[in-house]
Amino acid sequence: MTTCSASAPDKNASGDNFYGASICNQTYIDYFWNTYGFAGNKEYWDDGFGWDDSCNTDLPLARTFNACYALTYSAENWQNDDYAGAMLNWARRYVREHIKNLRAKCGNGGAIAASFGGGLVELYLGCWFGKDVPGRVETLVHESRHEGGKPHNANFPAGSVFGSGGGADTTWAYEGAWMYGALYLWWYFAQGARTTSALRERARQRGNLVIDNAFATHPGFSI
């Protein structure tokens, strides 16, 4: 596997120091590895990606584990992941049911992640070093929604920070990958537990960025 690297930005601002204080526990490491698609993919998480240094939040594996911790435990009553409840509860269930092979790659500097069907999702450098912890959860949820059968179906609106051309969703009601990601961030902001007020605010800001830029027809509201 190709080795690549990037510098970790401010880990206080990104939440990596906050969550990193919790993930360095073999019980959590084993749970995340066996639950969220890492198992069987060691070859994609070594060679500098962190397999042999899984508590080091400068590296992709620990930064992904931070996202897995937030995904799993951000609901106050996190054990209840019934789909009839809030997305903050069932997002972890949705991800584990749809991502079966989670792989780390360098990427080409464009996309931060990609899904390929059959439960295969790749994460790239931009996911770990361009997004904070709740933003990485958004990415896992987003790609899971693609794996759940929802491709993008529209062009980005004029002036979108995500560029032009295809890659957007038509509307909020389409319930596509952008909607799922933004909805998760909304719940994290509104009711997130085991987090900080600063990270909740960052989730709100990211959610509004998605709402304003990723739908052909603006949803008509903000978080």
Side-chain angles (χ1 to χ4, degrees):
M1 177 180 163
T2 302
T3 299
C4 53
S5 62
S7 298
D10 184 342
K11 294 197 293 182
N12 287 322
S14 69
D16 286 291
N17 282 340
F18 176 80
Y19 285 105
S22 298
I23 63 159
C24 197
N25 177 302
Q26 196 61 47
T27 299
Y28 290 138
I29 290 170
D30 290 345
Y31 177 76
F32 300 149
W33 188 264
N34 293 314
T35 301
Y36 293 120
F38 299 93
N41 285 312
K42 172 185 175 293
E43 64 185 290
Y44 293 95
W45 291 96
D46 58 10
D47 293 334
F49 282 84
W51 186 84
D52 57 351
D53 196 5
S54 59
C55 296
N56 184 349
T57 56
D58 288 339
L59 300 178
L61 182 58
R63 295 172 81 85
T64 309
F65 283 166
N66 281 346
C68 291
Y69 186 97
L71 173 66
T72 305
Y73 300 113
S74 288
E76 189 64 53
N77 57 333
W78 60 270
Q79 298 95 331
N80 178 12
D81 58 7
D82 193 300
Y83 281 123
M87 189 181 190
L88 194 63
N89 291 76
W90 57 256
R92 69 190 189 101
R93 175 180 174 184
Y94 195 83
V95 171
R96 73 171 184 260
E97 288 179 351
H98 289 88
I99 297 181
K100 303 302 181 182
N101 290 292
L102 186 63
R103 299 176 179 179
K105 291 190 175 182
C106 298
N108 61 10
I112 62 172
S115 62
F116 297 91
L120 173 59
V121 169
E122 293 179 352
L123 302 180
Y124 308 130
L125 289 178
C127 179
W128 303 300
F129 302 108
K131 302 192 81 173
D132 55 24
V133 174
R136 278 170 241 152
V137 180
E138 175 212 350
T139 296
L140 293 174
V141 171
H142 183 116
E143 299 305 326
S144 295
R145 189 57 172 156
H146 286 320
E147 289 299 307
K150 281 285 189 174
H152 296 308
N153 65 342
N155 291 330
F156 287 112
S160 172
V161 298
F162 299 120
S164 59
D169 293 340
T170 47
T171 63
W172 185 268
Y174 174 64
E175 296 188 359
W178 289 113
M179 179 270 200
Y180 264 49
L183 184 62
Y184 176 83
L185 293 167
W186 195 339
W187 275 108
Y188 182 98
F189 164 69
Q191 295 187 12
R194 303 169 191 88
T195 181
T196 68
S197 59
L199 286 171
R200 289 169 63 185
E201 174 59 21
R202 288 175 70 100
R204 185 187 71 83
Q205 293 173 2
R206 170 65 187 182
N208 282 333
L209 185 77
V210 171
I211 288 171
D212 289 341
N213 291 276
F215 297 90
T217 299
H218 193 283
F221 51 75
S222 60
I223 300 171

